[in-house]
Amino acid sequence: MVERYKTIYIGGEGELIEKKSRFIATVRLVESEEEALQILEALRKKYWNATHNCFAYVIGEKRETVRCSDDGEPSGTAGRPMLDVLLGEGICNVLVVVTRYFGGTLLGTGGLVRAYSQAVQAGLAKSTVIEKIYGVRMQIHTDYNGVGKIQYLLGQRKIPILCAEYTDKVRMEVMIPAGDAGKLQAEITEGTNGRARMEISENLYFAVNEGELIYHDALTRYKNLEA
C-alpha cells in the first residue's frame, strides 16, 4: 500500500500559443487504461479537425501503466516530454491530451518539446492536484476530563475532528495518516492516564483540499467531467 501519492481531484484545461500554433492541454483523472482510452477517443472526436492529439498517462499508485504518443509529431517531441512532466510532478492516475492546431510555422525539435511540456504544465495549473494519504478513521471515547488534552494533541498534529458527540461521555471521530496512528494512540493514552479508549473503524485514503477533508466517493466526484 502506497502511503501517499499525488493525483488529480478536478481536471482542467490549459492553453498555449506558440508561433501561431495553438496547444490545448486537457487533464483528467483516470483509474484504468480503459478509462484513459475512452476519454482520448472522445477528445479526438471533439477536436476532429486538429493537426495532432498527443497524449500521456500514468495509471496506478506505483505507476504500473505508463504510455505516451507523439500522434504524428517528430518522434520524441511530444508524448515523451508530456510524460516527463507528469513523472516529474509525481502525479498518478492522470491522463493529459495536448491538442495542436498548426499555425503555419515550424517550431523545430526543441520548440516542440518546450511547447508540449509547457502545455502540460498549463493544464496542470488549471487543475486541482491533491495528495491522497492512506489513513485510518479512529473513534476516541473519553470522559470530560480528557477532552482538553485530546483536543490539544489533535491540534498539535493539525488533525481535524470529523464529528463529536457530547453525552455522559465524549466520542470524537478523526482521520489520521496510518503511520501516525500508533504514536497518537500512545500519546492520548498517556495524556489521559489511560481513561481514553480508541478503536479504528476503517482504513482508507483521504485528502485535504482547501481545508476540506475528502474521502470515499468524494475523491472521484469530478472524475466524469465531459471530455
Side-chain angles (χ1 to χ4, degrees), residues 11-211:
E13 293 183 1
E15 189 168 325
L16 175 73
I17 304 296
E18 184 68 26
K19 293 183 179 178
K20 298 183 180 181
S21 278
R22 183 186 180 200
F23 295 84
I24 305 167
T26 303
V27 179
R28 291 291 182 266
L29 168 66
V30 291
E31 295 182 300
S32 70
E33 192 163 22
E34 181 181 8
E35 288 178 358
L37 294 176
Q38 287 175 348
I39 294 174
L40 174 61
E41 184 60 29
L43 286 168
R44 281 173 171 162
K45 290 179 180 178
K46 179 178 180 179
Y47 297 114
W48 60 271
N49 59 339
T51 315
H52 305 279
N53 284 293
C54 307
F55 69 85
Y57 56 80
V58 180
I59 298 172
E61 301 161 12
K62 298 180 181 179
R63 304 175 182 177
E64 290 88 345
T65 304
V66 176
R67 301 279 188 276
C68 64
S69 169
D70 296 311
D71 192 37
E73 292 281 29
S75 179
T77 62
R80 185 67 217 191
M82 292 166 60
L83 181 60
D84 285 343
V85 173
L86 298 180
L87 294 175
E89 293 290 335
I91 301 175
C92 303
N93 292 338
V94 57
L95 162 72
V96 60
V97 179
V98 175
T99 300
R100 181 189 183 190
Y101 286 92
F102 182 54
T105 302
L106 296 174
L107 300 183
T109 300
L112 286 172
V113 170
R114 284 191 299 273
Y116 278 100
S117 299
Q118 290 172 3
V120 174
Q121 291 166 350
L124 291 175
K126 293 292 185 179
S127 305
T128 301
V129 178
I130 56 175
E131 183 181 45
K132 288 178 69 172
I133 303 167
Y134 186 67
V136 298
R137 194 168 182 167
M138 181 185 290
Q139 311 284 335
I140 305 172
H141 304 266
T142 185
D143 56 26
Y144 281 86
N145 292 326
V147 172
K149 184 63 176 181
I150 292 171
Q151 289 175 333
Y152 171 75
L153 290 170
L154 295 177
Q156 273 192 321
R157 292 177 174 270
K158 297 181 180 180
I159 296 172
I161 298 174
L162 295 178
C163 63
E165 293 179 0
Y166 297 88
T167 55
D168 57 325
K169 298 284 186 179
V170 179
R171 183 186 73 85
M172 300 178 186
E173 186 174 68
V174 297
M175 196 91 72
I176 60 175
D180 295 342
K183 188 173 182 180
L184 179 63
Q185 286 175 309
E187 289 177 349
I188 290 176
T189 298
E190 181 181 354
T192 62
N193 294 318
R195 293 193 303 273
R197 178 172 57 85
M198 291 151 284
E199 57 188 35
I200 294 173
S201 58
E202 187 178 12
N203 292 73
L204 74 170
Y205 275 105
F206 70 92
V208 179
N209 179 56
E210 296 183 346

